[in-house]
Amino acid sequence: MVVRGENDRKGKLLTAFMSILMKDMRAYYLKPPNISWGLLFPLVWTGMFFVKSGMGSENILSLLPGMVSISILFGTTSMLAVTVTFERKAKAFERLLLAPVPLGLLMFAKTSGAILFGILNAFVPFIIGFVLLTDFSAFVWGAIVPAVILIAVVSAFLAMFIAVSVSEVFEAQTFSNFFRFPMMFLCGLFFPISELPDFLQPLSFLLPLTYGADILHGAIAGNNMMPLSFDFLMMFLFILLLFVLALRNIHRRWVM
C-alpha cells in the first residue's frame, strides 16, 4: 500500500509538471517579446557576425562558441521573463503556489520550457555554420551537448531570479539586459578575457557564461582558457547558487 501510494503521488506530480510545462508553451512562447528577444535577436546577431567575419572556416569556428552562448542566453531569459511576469500580473503564479506541489518542482516546471527553448536556440548557429560548409568533424560533442544544457539551465535560473523581482514584462527585459549585455562582452565570447582591461578581468570570472563559453571554445576550436573539469564544476555551482537565490526570492516576495 505504501509503495502504491508513493507511485500515485509521483504520477500526480509528473502530471502537474507536464501540465504546467505544456500550458506555458501554449500560452506564452509566441508572445511578441519572446519573438523579438528570444528568436529574432539571436538570429540577427548570429547572421551579422557570420557575414561580417566572412565565410572562412577559421572565422566561423572562432565565432561559433559566442554565437551559441548568446542564442541560449537570450532565448532562455526572454522566455522565462515573459512567462513569470505575465502570470504574476494575472495572479496565476500565486494560485500555483497554493497547489499541493513542492516549490522546487514548481520552479523546475516553470523553467523547463525556457531551458528547452534555449537548447533549441543553440542549434541556430550550428545550422548556419553547417550551411556555410563548416567542418564539424573535429567538434567534441561529448562536451558541447552538456555545455549547451548547463548554459540553458543557468540562464533559466538567472531569469527566474530576475523575473520574481519585478512586476512588468518590460521591467524584466530591461533588468535582464543589465546582466545579458555585460556578459556578451565580459565572458570571452568573441575575444579573450586577457584582452580586457585589468580591472574588468576579475568581473569575468564572477559570471557563469564565462565558464560555459570556455567549454564551447575548447570543444569547438580547442582554445579553452581553463580546464574543462573546472568549467563544469563552476557551472554546477552557479546553477545551485542561482536556484537557491531564486527560491529565496520567491519565499520572500510571494510566499510570506
Side-chain angles (χ1 to χ4, degrees):
M1 292 295 293
V2 174
V3 174
R4 182 178 178 181
E6 183 65 22
N7 289 337
D8 290 342
R9 179 176 179 275
K10 290 180 180 179
K12 291 178 180 179
L13 292 178
L14 179 60
T15 300
F17 172 85
M18 293 303 300
S19 298
I20 295 170
L21 173 61
M22 297 309 297
K23 187 267 293 181
D24 286 349
M25 295 182 71
R26 289 193 304 267
Y28 300 111
Y29 279 26
L30 293 180
K31 294 288 185 182
N34 286 346
I35 295 173
S36 60
W37 284 104
L39 290 173
L40 294 182
F41 181 83
L43 182 61
V44 171
W45 191 270
T46 299
M48 178 190 70
F49 266 89
F50 278 157
V51 171
K52 186 177 183 298
S53 66
M55 301 301 176
S57 177
E58 292 184 0
N59 291 331
I60 294 174
L61 289 179
S62 65
L63 292 174
L64 195 56
M67 294 297 97
V68 172
S69 300
I70 283 180
S71 296
I72 300 171
L73 176 67
F74 275 84
T76 304
T77 52
S78 297
M79 292 296 122
L80 201 58
V82 169
T83 301
V84 175
T85 48
F86 267 123
E87 291 213 334
R88 186 177 184 184
K89 287 193 66 176
K91 304 299 182 181
F93 202 99
E94 282 82 350
R95 290 194 292 270
L96 284 175
L97 291 174
L98 297 176
V101 178
L103 184 57
L105 180 65
L106 175 59
M107 272 191 62
F108 185 55
K110 299 299 292 185
T111 55
S112 291
I115 292 170
L116 290 174
F117 190 87
I119 293 172
L120 292 176
N121 248 24
F123 288 96
V124 173
F126 285 117
I127 292 172
I128 295 177
F130 181 77
V131 171
L132 297 178
L133 303 180
T134 300
D135 183 13
F136 288 179
S137 61
F139 287 10
V140 184
W141 291 102
I144 292 174
V145 172
V148 166
I149 295 172
L150 289 177
I151 294 173
V153 173
V154 77
S155 299
F157 289 157
L158 174 62
M160 175 64 80
F161 171 73
I162 293 170
V164 298
S165 304
V166 299
S167 57
E168 298 288 344
V169 174
F170 75 89
E171 292 176 333
Q173 295 290 6
T174 302
F175 196 16
S176 296
N177 289 338
F178 180 78
F179 292 93
R180 293 187 297 199
F181 283 106
M183 283 196 284
M184 288 172 58
F185 301 102
L186 294 176
C187 294
L189 303 186
F190 306 110
F191 48 86
I193 293 176
S194 58
E195 295 182 6
L196 292 173
D198 291 340
F199 70 93
L200 286 178
Q201 291 184 22
L203 294 177
S204 301
F205 298 102
L206 299 177
L207 300 171
L209 196 59
T210 296
Y211 304 97
D214 193 52
I215 297 172
L216 294 176
H217 277 295
I220 292 174
N223 57 352
N224 49 301
M225 179 176 55
M226 296 168 282
L228 295 187
S229 57
F230 178 75
D231 289 329
F232 278 112
L233 174 62
M234 292 303 298
M235 289 295 289
F236 280 113
L237 291 178
F238 271 110
I239 288 172
L240 179 61
L241 174 64
L242 289 170
F243 182 79
V244 171
L245 290 176
L247 271 179
R248 178 177 176 272
N249 223 3
I250 292 175
H251 276 289
R252 183 165 58 90
R253 290 178 175 271
W254 292 1
V255 176
M256 295 183 61

